[in-house]
Amino acid sequence: MSANSRLTIAAHALTWIGLYQRRGHEVATSEQIATSVNTNPVVIRRLLGEMRKAGLADSRRGAGAGWMLARDLAAITLLDVYQAIGAGPVFALHRATPDPECVVGRGLGPAMTAVYDDVEAALCRELANVTLEDVLRDVLRAA
C-alpha cells in the first residue's frame, strides 16, 4: 500500500501558480508546473481540472494559454484542496463482509467507524486551519 499524494501535488501546483503570479506572470503552463512537481504535465492538467471545478483555479485557452488561481492563496485552505480532489475517506472498512458469526467480525465495523469518523473530523479541522498562503510562507522560509 502506498500513501495518496494527490493532495500534496495539488497543493504544490496551486502554491507554485500563486508564487509565479506574484512574480508578475499571468498564467502558468502545465509543463512549467510539472517541472517543479517532477511529474507528467497530464497529471497536472487532470488535478488542475479538478481545482477548476472546485473554483480554486482557472484556465485560459488559445494564445497565452495556461493556469491561474481563481482565488488568492490566503483564501484557499488545504481543506478546500482536499475536498476538490475528492479524496474520500482516509480509512475504510473491509472490502468483504467479515464473518457475522465471529464476535470481532460482527463488532469491528461499528467500533472502527466511530474512530474513523473522529479521525476524519480532526483531519478536516486541521486542514481548514492552513491556507496555501501559510504553505507558501513556510516554503519560502525554508528556502
Side-chain angles (χ1 to χ4, degrees):
M1 277 184 245
S2 65
N4 185 329
S5 61
R6 288 170 42 83
L7 175 61
T8 303
I9 294 170
H12 184 147
L14 292 171
T15 303
W16 192 92
I17 293 169
L19 178 60
Y20 193 65
Q21 288 180 305
R22 283 188 188 170
R23 291 181 173 169
H25 304 278
E26 212 170 314
V27 297
T29 68
S30 302
E31 290 76 14
Q32 291 169 315
I33 302 162
T35 298
S36 177
V37 177
N38 195 24
T39 192
N40 190 297
V42 172
V43 172
I44 299 302
R45 282 191 287 277
R46 286 185 185 142
L47 273 174
L48 288 176
E50 294 175 37
M51 299 303 106
R52 180 178 50 222
K53 287 178 190 170
L56 305 179
D58 205 356
S59 62
R60 181 186 304 162
R61 295 179 185 259
W67 295 94
M68 63 206 86
L69 295 180
R71 295 192 266 176
D72 189 67
L73 288 175
I76 302 172
T77 68
L78 287 177
L79 180 60
D80 295 327
V81 180
Y82 178 73
Q83 291 171 332
I85 64 171
V90 176
F91 298 108
L93 299 177
H94 300 330
R95 291 182 196 268
T97 304
D99 181 359
E101 299 300 316
C102 171
V103 66
V104 175
R106 185 175 52 252
L108 190 70
M112 296 304 288
T113 296
V115 172
Y116 293 165
D117 288 350
D118 289 346
V119 168
E120 185 78 21
L123 171 69
C124 289
R125 278 192 307 276
E126 289 299 316
L127 293 176
N129 287 325
V130 180
T131 68
L132 292 183
E133 183 69 38
D134 298 329
V135 171
L136 179 59
R137 182 196 64 236
D138 292 347
V139 165
L140 294 175
R141 187 180 299 147

